[in-house]
Amino acid sequence: MTAAPAIEVRGLQKRYGAAIAADAMTFSVAAGEILGVIGRNGAGKTTLVECLATLRRPDAGELRVLGLDPTRDGRALRPRIGVQLQSAALPDRLRLWEALDLFASFHRKRRRSADVLAELGLADSANVAFGDLSGGQKQRAFIALALIHEPEVVLLDELTTGLDPQARRGIWDLVRAMRDRGVTVLLTTHFMEEAERLCDRVAVIRHGRIVALDTPERLVAAAGGCRRVSFRIDTPFDLDGLGTLTPVRRVHRVDGRVVVEGDGDDLAVEIIRTLAASGVRPMDVRTEQSTLEDAFLALTGERLDES
């Protein structure tokens, strides 16, 4: 028998006046899976999290988290989910252990605060006031608050925004550890590297609609993912000759560099061999693989960094 999904969303609709935040969203998340949700600001990511977290009532659609309706069954659902919101904050003078003990007191099922702090590398900061924690420590603290009652599903909204790369990678390790313990994770992010490295599947959202949902690798491939080889040459050469190579899709110039797009692990070798046969030596050769950011642009026509 196939296990029931941990999260099911069918036809989710939510408007704020004329603005559409969720437009017929439909998807499911398997138990123990990490699902990433990517989209520009205003795409509907936070609205989705808030509806699943019992914090916002949908206009239409069916939602189930652990088989429960977040709107009707909030009292039964809240002890079983952990939530970290994008705008989360705590009083500056509240000590970390005090915050953990306070949140633990809201639940019958709970872990020892000291154990959670040790697990998240915060044991030495237990007596530190929240306002004196670093950015990475604060994010770890919010994860600790979300995990204090041993939830089965955790919802994370833009968890690593504002963190330096080292702190971000530390948070990724914590999320992977949740999944390894069987916790289901839904996270929103605008960091493509985060989605690629962390998520089992990724949902791409544009204007409240899911335009694609698959593994990061398949999203890149379906959007026409390819390899790119770029280089400079100071010898006259007819670029049409590169265009006739079997793995090559396109040859063009960008800012004085020749850019060749194509497929296969041997693309760079074929290009260099062809150039060498014509007595041309490429300089500053660079190779790149298409990324989830390229797939996002192909699927939505937008870049995440556009306002």
Side-chain angles (χ1 to χ4, degrees):
M1 180 180 296
T2 303
I7 298 173
E8 291 182 274
V9 177
R10 299 177 185 172
L12 173 63
Q13 299 271 3
K14 184 65 183 178
R15 284 176 174 266
Y16 303 105
I20 301 174
D23 187 5
M25 287 189 192
T26 297
F27 66 94
S28 63
V29 186
E33 180 181 22
I34 299 178
L35 178 75
V37 180
I38 61 176
R40 293 172 61 189
N41 290 338
K45 304 187 301 295
T46 295
T47 291
L48 170 62
V49 169
E50 291 176 344
C51 288
L52 293 171
T54 79
L55 299 174
R56 199 171 292 278
R57 181 183 293 271
D59 296 332
E62 255 185 82
L63 280 70
R64 292 288 184 274
V65 181
L66 300 171
L68 299 171
D69 183 324
T71 300
R72 295 196 305 264
D73 306 319
R75 184 181 294 273
L77 179 59
R78 280 188 285 272
R80 301 177 64 186
I81 63 174
V83 183
Q84 173 271 328
L85 297 174
Q86 186 176 358
S87 58
L90 289 172
D92 281 348
R93 301 323 305 162
L94 186 68
R95 299 186 185 279
L96 190 50
W97 70 265
E98 293 174 327
L100 266 289
D101 281 1
L102 174 63
F103 275 64
S105 70
F106 300 153
H107 303 279
R108 292 182 180 178
K109 181 182 179 182
R110 52 184 179 259
R111 301 177 62 188
R112 292 180 63 248
S113 298
D115 293 341
V116 177
L117 291 174
E119 181 179 300
L120 298 183
L122 292 170
D124 293 339
S125 303
N127 205 41
V128 176
F130 181 78
D132 294 330
L133 297 174
S134 68
Q137 288 173 324
K138 287 179 180 178
Q139 295 298 66
R140 287 173 180 263
F142 289 131
I143 293 179
L145 296 175
L147 297 180
I148 191 65
H149 56 296
E150 295 188 320
E152 299 162 63
V153 169
V154 175
L155 309 171
L156 306 172
D157 191 14
E158 300 287 3
L159 179 65
T160 61
T161 296
L163 298 186
D164 61 67
Q166 182 176 356
R168 185 174 298 127
R169 284 169 173 75
I171 298 296
W172 295 352
D173 289 340
L174 297 177
V175 175
R176 292 189 188 100
M178 291 184 212
R179 192 256 315 275
D180 293 344
R181 293 200 304 271
V183 176
T184 303
V185 179
L186 183 146
L187 65 89
T188 74
T189 183
H190 63 268
F191 292 113
M192 294 295 101
E193 184 185 7
E194 181 165 287
E196 283 186 291
R197 295 198 179 192
L198 199 57
C199 301
D200 299 305
R201 292 187 302 147
V202 173
V204 179
I205 293 184
R206 182 175 186 268
H207 300 324
R209 295 187 67 89
I210 295 178
V211 298
L213 196 163
D214 211 326
T215 66
E217 298 80 9
R218 288 176 180 168
L219 287 174
V220 172
C226 63
R227 294 180 183 273
R228 284 188 292 269
V229 178
S230 69
F231 53 88
R232 292 184 295 104
I233 54 176
D234 56 9
T235 304
F237 179 75
D238 184 2
L239 296 181
D240 290 342
L242 294 177
T244 63
L245 297 176
T246 300
V248 173
R249 298 187 191 179
R250 180 187 180 207
V251 182
H252 56 113
R253 290 183 181 270
V254 178
D255 296 330
R257 297 179 63 82
V258 178
V259 180
V260 183
E261 299 176 1
D263 306 291
D265 295 336
D266 296 331
L267 178 64
V269 174
E270 295 251 7
I271 292 169
I272 293 173
R273 183 184 294 132
T274 300
L275 293 172
S278 299
V280 176
R281 180 183 177 186
M283 298 173 289
D284 190 18
V285 178
R286 305 176 190 176
T287 61
E288 296 179 335
Q289 179 70 44
S290 289
T291 66
L292 190 57
E293 187 164 2
D294 297 316
F296 182 86
L297 176 61
L299 288 164
T300 68
E302 301 170 337
R303 292 189 180 277
L304 282 176
D305 56 0
E306 292 176 345
S307 57

